[in-house]
Each structure stands twice: as structure tokens, then as C-alpha cells.
Amino acid sequence: MDQVDWPLALERLRPKPAARRTFTTDEDRFIGEVVTGEGREHLLIGRIGSGDHQTVDLDHGHIEDLRLEGNRGFIDTTTVCFLDYGNVVGIMQGGLASPRATSIQRWINACGMVSEDIELWPVISKSAWDKLKDASAVHKVEISFKPTPGQLPPETSGLAGFARYGRERYPDHKISMTIEIPRRAGLGPVARARGESRLRTDTQALMSELGWLTEPGVSRARALVTLPTPSGDLKDETLDFLKHHITAKRRVQVRAEDARPRHEAAVEAILATAREHATDLRAAVGAQV
């Protein structure tokens, strides 16, 4: 899509009343707010909590319910920064229950932040996407992950749909899936072509949704493909999408005595990471270096 003028979109979003910055699903309620950090405007999106919170008196060991005055509630937030090229978005969650990429996408579309619906995809290196696109066949896909109750998988079908079902059915297990087209099973050319086409489509969809599986950890996400060589021959190659998924872990320490808003520390970490990975990010989205 064309480059969005994100600063203008944020400027228009800032004065909107809370009701127009709130998006409700069957299970959750999200609200967004424009915040400032490092001289730029960013987005803070939160999942409004409904659970009860408690506190402890560390001197006497008393545990009691935490009650808020007025019309206030608890919220789990995610900080979102929009880079100035390729519609690249940096995201840092405040906790496991904080909004993930899928929820952020739905909020942006529901609240009309931009003039058209958008999709948020994890940034996978350009070379990996090109190889998957140019592959003459996809023979095998493997993925292993550990679900957590805080994850919100996308509403989808195919391999991602299997992953969603596994997460809901086996939340306390490690889930491993292997989908393979047997090479020596006597499949006819039509059946093989149909299977390879479907597996390629499902693999592309799964990789585009990889973001919701990256925490607490995917131990395997790879595909066996057949690629053409410059000499005109074919070769098999394993694409490891974990190695090509542009992400980074940052430890952000927020001290009780720190007077600045918590989101400012997340903004600093996101923008610092973006600068470190600028070459890879620009190449992945076709932006000039």
C-alpha cells in the first residue's frame, strides 16, 4: 500500500472523544490514545481489564482488594510506533495480556485511523519471501510452539487455523505440526500440483500471521521448498522463518521513582531497535536505504 501519513493520522486521532477511540469485541474492549515520546507522536492501545486486583502490605503482610475511585479501571497496554518508511510499525507489549498485532489491526480499522482497512504482518526478510514466492514447489512445513492463555490467535483457516485450534484445545502443551506431501506415494500430477499449491498458500498465510506466535516462543517454523538455480536446475532448500523474522528482545526497566510516563521507555526501545535494524527493515519493505 502507499505510504500513510502516520503523523497526520495521529494528529487527527488525538482530539477524538473516548467513545470514538474505543473498540469492543464479544470478549474484550480496547481503547487507544495518542502519546508523545522522543519528540514524536505514537499510539498507546490498551485492553481494558475486568479482573479484580489485590495489593499486599509488605510491612504487615495484609492482602486486600484494590479499589479505584470514580469511573476508572485497569488496563494492559501496548506501545505502537510508526516509522517513516514502508508503513513499518514497531510494537512493544507491556505484558502477556496486552494487545497483540491482530487486536491492534482490528482497532485501527474499527476506529477509522486511516481511510482504508489495513493488515499488520510481521516483517520477514525480503529474501525469504522471494524464495517462497519463486519456489516451484512447497513440500513440507513444520511448526512447533507453546501456547499461553494471553495469546489471541487470528480468525483464519488453513495451517493458522490448525494452530488456533491447538492453542484452544491444548493450552498447556507444546504443539508440533508437520504437513508434508509424500514424494513417493504414487500421487498423480494433478493431485501433486493441487497439494503443492495449497501448501504454498497456507505457508504464506501462516508466515504472515507469525507475529501472534512469537511469544513466549516458537521453537520451529520452517518449510522445505524447491527452488530454481541460475543454471536452470532445481534444488531443495529449507527456509527457516525464525531466522528471517525481523524481531528483537529488549529489556525495559521502569523504576517506581522514575517520574516519566511508562510508555516513553517503550518508545525509546522501539526506536533504538528500528535504528539498529534499519537496513534489514528497509530492504524487507523495498524502501530506499
Side-chain angles (χ1 to χ4, degrees):
M1 60 185 291
D2 293 336
Q3 177 67 30
V4 175
D5 188 340
W6 295 110
L8 178 60
L10 291 167
E11 180 183 339
R12 291 173 174 171
L13 176 67
R14 182 184 285 276
K16 288 186 177 181
R20 296 185 60 188
R21 293 184 281 109
T22 302
F23 168 61
T24 303
T25 68
D26 292 338
E27 300 177 350
D28 298 293
R29 189 153 54 112
F30 302 90
I31 188 168
E33 182 182 16
V34 177
V35 295
T36 302
E38 292 206 355
R40 302 170 58 178
E41 291 186 324
H42 310 280
L43 183 63
L44 200 62
I45 295 184
R47 184 197 311 276
I48 300 175
S50 59
D52 296 326
H53 293 255
Q54 295 180 305
T55 62
V56 57
D57 183 331
L58 297 178
D59 292 327
H60 304 93
H62 298 314
I63 300 175
E64 58 185 21
D65 293 339
L66 177 62
R67 296 180 176 86
L68 300 179
E69 297 180 356
N71 189 23
R72 296 176 178 269
F74 298 98
I75 193 167
D76 297 292
T77 59
T78 295
T79 304
V80 184
C81 299
F82 300 91
L83 305 189
D84 55 5
Y85 58 86
N87 293 315
V88 178
V89 180
I91 295 173
M92 175 172 281
Q93 292 177 267
L96 285 176
S98 300
R100 304 182 71 84
T102 303
S103 299
I104 294 169
Q105 170 187 307
R106 295 173 69 185
W107 181 92
I108 290 176
N109 291 334
C111 294
M113 186 174 171
V114 294
S115 59
E116 57 185 323
D117 284 353
I118 64 167
E119 294 184 13
L120 292 181
W121 290 18
V123 179
I124 296 177
S125 69
K126 184 176 184 298
S127 62
W129 278 117
D130 287 346
K131 287 181 178 179
L132 184 58
K133 179 182 66 175
D134 296 339
S136 60
V138 178
H139 307 287
K140 183 177 181 180
V141 178
E142 299 174 279
I143 183 169
S144 297
F145 66 98
K146 175 66 175 70
T148 65
Q151 291 176 317
L152 292 176
E155 295 282 357
T156 186
S157 58
L159 290 176
F162 288 143
R164 179 186 178 92
Y165 172 78
R167 176 261 186 188
E168 294 174 344
R169 179 72 174 176
Y170 304 105
D172 303 313
H173 300 65
K174 177 181 178 181
I175 299 173
S176 297
M177 299 186 299
T178 300
I179 310 296
E180 183 176 9
I181 299 174
R183 295 189 173 186
R184 297 186 181 133
L187 290 178
V190 174
R192 181 173 296 280
R194 181 176 62 240
E196 291 173 348
S197 174
R198 184 172 297 171
L199 192 55
R200 181 206 304 273
T201 300
D202 283 352
T203 302
Q204 290 174 323
L206 180 64
M207 291 306 104
S208 71
E209 298 286 3
L210 189 63
W212 71 270
L213 284 173
T214 53
E215 295 291 346
V218 179
S219 58
R220 178 175 297 178
R222 59 191 185 188
L224 177 64
V225 304
T226 297
L227 296 169
T229 65
S231 62
D233 298 326
L234 297 175
K235 68 171 183 177
D236 287 348
E237 181 175 336
T238 298
L239 300 182
D240 191 326
F241 291 99
L242 291 186
K243 294 180 179 179
H244 295 291
H245 183 204
I246 302 176
T247 185
K249 289 189 176 182
R250 287 282 185 172
R251 183 177 181 85
V252 178
Q253 185 175 5
V254 180
R255 298 181 297 273
E257 62 272 17
D258 196 345
R260 67 177 181 171
R262 180 181 300 237
H263 70 262
E264 289 188 6
V267 167
E268 287 183 2
I270 293 171
L271 295 183
T273 303
R275 288 190 291 268
E276 291 178 10
H277 294 270
T279 301
D280 290 337
L281 288 170
R282 287 181 178 273
V285 298
Q288 293 183 349
V289 178

